[in-house]
Amino acid sequence: MEYAIWWDYEIGHLYELEHVWVYVGHDGEVVDCKASFHGRVLKGLLKDRSNLLNDTHVRLYSQPGKHAFSPITDIFELLPDLYTNANERAGVGGLLTNELFHGLIATNDEIDGLVRRHLQSLSFVPAMEFEKYYFAPELFIPWSSLFRIIPERMEARVQELKRQYL
């Protein structure tokens, strides 16, 4: 099963899309997991399976502000920019654009500046304390629906920022 997990914001730019892949055997047993991590993919299920809860849910941690996934929190502490990305570098990415939404999401200097200003107002120092969170069932929608609403949500966020800061 692939989960595309969406956030309108991450501390570095407007919107974030991360992924988790859970591999389930014919008998319903979780046999593996992978999770996105800054454009890479990490193993999500630890070798000793100690992060498998109730034999059905893989426990992953989300990097504060950046949302990359890992089965252990120590990996975040190895990132040289863990604290600066959430603080001094907040908003440096502006409105994220990529090939996936080419022609559907566009940015310019004004929009990037609004995003930067907003995210700098939300900058923080990661406490590295994590709380359990479960996604509510009503948040799950098919990828085709999510893909369709992402550009609409981004336009709505840009309009909100314009009303707030211009």
Side-chain angles (χ1 to χ4, degrees), residues 151-163:
E152 296 169 8
R153 289 186 67 86
M154 290 306 85
E155 180 58 29
R157 298 300 81 77
V158 167
Q159 294 308 314
E160 288 171 6
L161 293 173
K162 286 181 177 180
R163 285 191 298 276

Side-chain angles (χ1 to χ4, degrees), residues 17-100:
L17 183 63
E18 296 289 353
H19 298 269
V20 174
W21 298 268
V22 179
Y23 299 86
V24 180
H26 294 289
D27 60 358
E29 177 187 9
V30 173
V31 295
D32 201 2
C33 175
K34 295 179 183 172
S36 61
F37 187 88
H38 299 292
R40 311 269 323 216
V41 175
L42 295 181
K43 292 282 287 179
L45 187 60
L46 295 172
K47 190 174 184 177
D48 66 1
R49 301 173 61 86
S50 60
N51 66 323
L52 185 60
L53 310 174
N54 301 321
D55 294 325
T56 58
H57 290 77
V58 179
R59 180 183 58 230
L60 296 171
Y61 296 92
S62 183
Q63 181 183 342
K66 299 296 285 180
H67 306 307
F69 290 117
S70 172
I72 55 174
T73 60
D74 287 346
I75 196 165
F76 301 134
E77 295 285 355
L78 298 174
L79 299 170
D81 54 4
L82 172 66
Y83 294 95
T84 57
N85 274 339
N87 203 294
E88 301 97 71
R89 295 182 42 80
V92 297
L95 170 55
L96 182 65
T97 58
N98 58 36
E99 287 185 31
L100 183 61

